[in-house]
Amino acid sequence: MAEESDLEKTEPASPRKLEQAREQGDVPRSRELATCTLLLGASAAFWFTGDNMVAELNRMLASGLSFDRELAFDMQLLLTRTAASIVSLLIVFAPAALILIVVALVSPMLIGGWLFSAQALQPDFGRMNPFKGLGNMVSTRSAVELGKAIAKTILVGAIAWMVIKYEIDAVLALSVEPLRSGSAHLGHLLLVSFVFIVSGLILIAAIDAPYQMWQHAKKLMMSRQDVRQEAKESDGNPEIKAKIRQQQREMARRRMMSEVPTADVVVTNPTHYAVALKYSENGMRAPQVVAKGADEVAAKIRELALENNVVILEAPPLARALFRHAELGDEIPEALYIAVAEVLAYVFQLRAYSKNGGARPEKPADLDVPPQLDPLNPAAEDADTNGLPQ
């Protein structure tokens, strides 16, 4: 049951899958919305430029029907006049054509956006499969398209019938009007009818556009297995990443261990924790932690310290505080300056004793470690609630 649930497509498409689908030319598109916007653009174009177009066409028609004697004997003049008529015709239709071009370029931005995909241009011989074609004919998508076609037919027919019924008297009156005024009236009736019919398609487009977006999102839905597989491909195999992190930790540990022989002192717990400190008056503002570890790592630090004659000092509260609050490579916290200063003073005195002899220095006792910095001290819990560093 768990495997079946993992294979069910219940998760929305990831940004990567959406991008891959877009690269393949698969974006939501609504033909109804594109058709509606284009027809509305044509309606606007003819509404605002129609009078000027009709006037220019009347003038061009009257000019074209006039025939001068020179045209019959001068072919070059005839060609020049024909070319001028074609240019005038293009100029007349240029505003309407410009409006339609702008609408055709803007309409894809309403859903899906502009898209050019080279993969979509590649031949797909699978589309030539007749069985696949028969399957598409009886698919849910085909049923939806059939329903939209029937709805458009009914809607357009109903609007056309209502417009004709409303304008029936004006249509019948055209037969008794003069030719010039009747032609203008007929053009106006046709344009108004066209605008009303096209406006009815807005309802179809308003339903189809959200449906196409929902259908596209549903088609690209992913199963939980797909999500996990994509995460592996994007971020890498978790097992390989774990091995890389392990190798990085080993490299960092080896680098840290190489710093132990250069330390001045190793403060221990005595067995659980070990922190190696180093201080130089040249370039250091405060002692630094060059190595630290717990349990096995602490044992290795102590072993290296013994091999390289680094002083090992048992100071459990200080060791715990340093391990908890001092990061590797950083300076010690200011609250531990006094305690560490006592430790370093002992180390330097011990070196002088080993070199020059004399009275052996005593190990420091009762180091000044603030209670709130010792993880085992009850005051550390109060420090957590009061916002003090641990």
Side-chain angles (χ1 to χ4, degrees), residues 251-263 290-291 304 308:
M251 293 176 61
R253 179 179 174 181
R254 286 195 293 269
R255 287 195 301 268
M256 181 183 70
M257 292 302 179
S258 66
E259 295 291 333
V260 174
T262 66
V290 296
L304 290 174
N308 293 273

Side-chain angles (χ1 to χ4, degrees), residues 28 140-141 144 209-220:
T140 305
R141 185 179 183 86
V144 172
Y211 171 78
Q212 294 298 335
M213 296 178 67
W214 173 81
Q215 184 71 19
H216 181 263
K218 182 180 178 182
K219 181 177 65 174
L220 296 181

Side-chain angles (χ1 to χ4, degrees), residues 315-376:
L318 179 60
R320 291 193 297 265
L322 287 171
F323 183 85
R324 181 70 175 275
H325 303 289
E327 297 297 331
L328 189 65
D330 291 346
E331 296 178 352
I332 64 172
E334 294 184 6
L336 298 176
Y337 278 3
I338 297 176
V340 173
E342 293 184 36
V343 172
L344 291 177
Y346 164 74
V347 171
F348 296 149
Q349 292 172 6
L350 190 61
R351 288 178 182 175
Y353 165 76
S354 301
K355 183 177 181 181
N356 303 321
R360 183 181 179 87
E362 296 182 1
K363 292 183 180 180
D366 299 327
L367 295 173
D368 186 12
V369 178
Q372 67 268 22
L373 296 184
D374 186 356
L376 297 185

